[in-house]
Amino acid sequence: QYEQMARSVHGLKAAGEWHVLESLMPDLKGKSVLDLGCGFGWHCRYARERGASSVIGVDLSENMLNKARAMTNDTAIEYIRLPIEEISFPEERFDFVLSSLALHYIESYQNVISNIYRLLKPGGTFLFSVEHPVFTSREEQEWHVDREGNRVFWPVDRYQSEGIRTTSFLAENVIKYHRTLSTYLNGLISAGFLVQAVAEPMPSEAMLAAQPEMADEARRPMFLIVSAGRAS
Amino acid sequence: QYEQMARSVHGLKAAGEWHVLESLMPDLKGKSVLDLGCGFGWHCRYARERGASSVIGVDLSENMLNKARAMTNDTAIEYIRLPIEEISFPEERFDFVLSSLALHYIESYQNVISNIYRLLKPGGTFLFSVEHPVFTSREEQEWHVDREGNRVFWPVDRYQSEGIRTTSFLAENVIKYHRTLSTYLNGLISAGFLVQAVAEPMPSEAMLAAQPEMADEARRPMFLIVSAGRAS
């Protein structure tokens, strides 16, 4: 069913947070790129369009990687099936590491972050998006609605209780890991990263105009995007 | 009425977030300290106990400053009545700038932050706490309760709509300014600061044991604490 979501069919432009993620990308010309949780490979192909010299996409889903391969005609992009926790590359192998909406599925955040730091060249950038801690705190991940079904507000609970959240997504149970904002940021800092930018994206003006129900995205943050740098 | 709050009568140890704020303090021995929004001067006197060479406390309330002066017998502490937006000191005047629960009353966050950066010596630290954006998003700032009055969850709304929130605090209307987490952090970064630590404090174990109702503090973040450094 994930395949039918707008972002899966129409790619990056259908994702409400894409315009913000894109604005935080470094110059990719001639750069070596790693995409953790690459899914259908949209970001891998985007990196090549922006001039990256080589891209490696990692994902756990063979099904998604097969689709990614079918959509990719580019020998400079390589897709590898692996859990993000198990990637192994030479130190300082990449200029840019990207991870879009994958790290909230990972239990061992700190290990992964420290590993990414090691894989980045000095001066390199790590850019990631996750579901916002305000969004992941409750398993329900739903608006509080009144009897008529109107969205009254967004409920937060168990914020400080990090760990597994079993949520329903497209009718299937999915295990996510809720982490606080401070854990996301301090994990980067303690790995050695400099926090360069933090974003809580809203849909673009164009998307708001086309899909008025997107206005509710202003009522609570759904995504957290962080750009972090390894000092040169 | 603020004078009757536990933190006003009993000082720092009565504040649920104090143990975390304290843990993020730099070494104060021989340091020149500025406290923005000093209230009754608890943090000013604490800084001197920790060996600070001189402390300036700034607050808007003459009433609070009079109480602060009455509790202070130390010529190395000076209290000045001024809005935080209007402080004016020589560049690189201070080693450490502290602001506890004051900046969410300030409209011009970015100007204040840039000013603080300018006042800090290279290598200096700026440490502040504010009410958390999850706490300030709605004017009500109250739990959603069921018919029996049980706290069901914490409501978030209007998160992305920064600006004035007129809230009731101790039976009086108070104007606060809601800002997103990304505004708090990016404002520091764009002023030149390095973000060194981010905390969303919970009450201490001792406080939880003494006041069981504090357990609800785990359900939503109430305070945000950030330590930021000016590079040496």
Side-chain angles (χ1 to χ4, degrees):
Chain A
Q1 286 192 292
Y2 181 80
E3 287 175 35
Q4 269 107 63
M5 284 183 73
R7 66 173 66 211
S8 306
V9 179
H10 302 294
L12 303 175
K13 292 209 166 67
E17 80 286 8
W18 165 245
H19 64 115
V20 178
L21 196 70
E22 183 179 30
S23 73
L24 293 172
M25 297 256 183
D27 179 15
L28 296 180
K29 211 160 287 175
K31 298 297 170 63
S32 168
V33 175
L34 174 65
D35 180 0
L36 297 174
C38 67
F40 297 120
W42 291 106
H43 297 95
C44 297
R45 295 186 294 277
Y46 171 83
R48 281 283 290 161
E49 285 164 24
R50 288 277 298 265
S53 58
S54 69
V55 182
I56 295 178
V58 172
D59 206 284
L60 193 57
S61 162
E62 187 64 28
N63 181 36
M64 284 196 189
L65 290 178
N66 284 337
K67 297 261 160 41
R69 289 186 188 105
M71 284 192 275
T72 304
N73 182 16
D74 183 343
T75 56
I77 301 178
E78 183 185 359
Y79 294 108
I80 301 178
R81 187 179 174 216
L82 264 182
I84 291 174
E85 298 93 323
E86 292 175 22
I87 56 167
S88 171
F89 297 99
E91 284 191 31
E92 306 187 5
R93 164 76 175 72
F94 299 99
D95 297 290
F96 178 52
V97 177
L98 174 72
S99 179
S100 171
L101 298 182
L103 295 182
H104 53 275
Y105 297 116
I106 298 299
E107 184 174 8
S108 52
Y109 175 73
Q110 188 62 60
N111 289 346
V112 167
I113 296 301
S114 298
N115 198 19
I116 291 169
Y117 185 85
R118 201 181 55 79
L119 300 180
L120 272 178
K121 296 178 191 172
T125 301
F126 172 42
L127 177 64
F128 72 91
S129 62
V130 286
E131 290 183 357
H132 198 287
V134 163
F135 189 80
T136 59
S137 73
R138 293 170 76 243
E139 298 204 314
E140 293 83 351
Q141 305 196 344
E142 279 169 3
W143 291 92
H144 176 65
V145 294
D146 64 17
R147 288 179 192 184
E148 285 78 43
N150 301 305
R151 295 169 168 185
V152 183
F153 44 69
W154 183 263
V156 168
D157 206 346
R158 299 179 63 203
Y159 182 86
Q160 306 279 12
S161 309
E162 300 190 315
I164 289 180
R165 299 293 188 270
T166 308
T167 65
S168 303
F169 181 59
L170 304 173
E172 299 205 19
N173 279 342
V174 178
I175 287 186
K176 298 176 184 177
Y177 294 87
H178 168 70
R179 273 180 281 272
T180 65
L181 180 92
S182 26
T183 292
Y184 277 118
L185 294 172
N186 293 331
L188 293 166
I189 294 166
S190 69
F193 280 108
L194 303 172
V195 177
Q196 294 171 330
V198 177
E200 294 162 300
M202 281 274 297
S204 66
E205 294 294 324
M207 197 170 278
L208 283 170
Q211 303 174 57
E213 73 279 9
M214 284 267 186
D216 283 336
E217 297 305 313
R219 302 176 62 185
R220 54 102 177 90
M222 180 162 183
F223 300 114
L224 173 70
I225 299 179
V226 184
S227 165
R230 176 168 172 166
S232 32
Chain B
Q1 287 192 293
Y2 182 80
E3 287 175 35
Q4 268 106 65
M5 284 183 74
R7 66 173 66 213
S8 305
V9 179
H10 302 294
L12 304 175
K13 291 209 167 67
E17 80 285 7
W18 165 244
H19 64 116
V20 177
L21 195 70
E22 182 179 30
S23 74
L24 292 171
M25 297 256 184
D27 179 15
L28 295 181
K29 210 161 288 176
K31 298 299 171 60
S32 166
V33 174
L34 175 65
D35 180 0
L36 296 174
C38 66
F40 297 120
W42 292 104
H43 297 94
C44 297
R45 294 186 294 276
Y46 171 84
R48 281 284 289 161
E49 284 164 25
R50 288 277 299 266
S53 57
S54 68
V55 183
I56 295 178
V58 171
D59 206 285
L60 192 56
S61 163
E62 187 64 29
N63 181 36
M64 285 196 187
L65 289 178
N66 284 337
K67 296 261 161 42
R69 288 187 189 105
M71 284 192 275
T72 304
N73 181 16
D74 183 343
T75 56
I77 300 179
E78 182 184 0
Y79 294 108
I80 301 179
R81 186 178 175 215
L82 263 183
I84 291 175
E85 298 93 322
E86 292 176 22
I87 55 167
S88 171
F89 297 99
E91 285 193 30
E92 306 186 5
R93 163 77 174 74
F94 299 100
D95 297 290
F96 178 51
V97 177
L98 173 72
S99 180
S100 171
L101 299 182
L103 295 181
H104 54 274
Y105 297 115
I106 298 299
E107 184 174 9
S108 53
Y109 175 74
Q110 189 61 61
N111 288 347
V112 167
I113 296 301
S114 297
N115 198 18
I116 292 169
Y117 186 86
R118 200 180 57 78
L119 299 181
L120 271 177
K121 295 178 192 173
T125 301
F126 172 42
L127 176 64
F128 72 92
S129 62
V130 286
E131 289 183 357
H132 197 288
V134 163
F135 189 80
T136 59
S137 74
R138 292 170 76 245
E139 297 205 314
E140 292 82 353
Q141 304 197 345
E142 279 169 4
W143 292 93
H144 177 65
V145 294
D146 64 17
R147 288 179 193 183
E148 285 78 44
N150 302 304
R151 295 169 169 185
V152 183
F153 42 62
W154 183 263
V156 168
D157 206 346
R158 300 179 62 202
Y159 181 87
Q160 306 280 11
S161 308
E162 299 189 315
I164 289 180
R165 299 292 188 271
T166 308
T167 65
S168 303
F169 181 60
L170 304 174
E172 299 205 19
N173 278 343
V174 177
I175 287 186
K176 299 176 184 178
Y177 293 87
H178 168 70
R179 273 181 280 273
T180 64
L181 179 92
S182 25
T183 292
Y184 276 118
L185 294 172
N186 293 332
L188 293 166
I189 295 167
S190 70
F193 279 109
L194 304 171
V195 177
Q196 294 171 329
V198 177
E200 294 161 300
M202 282 273 298
S204 65
E205 295 294 324
M207 197 169 278
L208 283 170
Q211 304 175 54
E213 73 279 8
M214 283 267 187
D216 283 335
E217 297 304 314
R219 301 176 64 184
R220 54 103 178 89
M222 181 162 182
F223 301 114
L224 173 69
I225 298 180
V226 184
S227 164
R230 176 167 173 168
S232 32

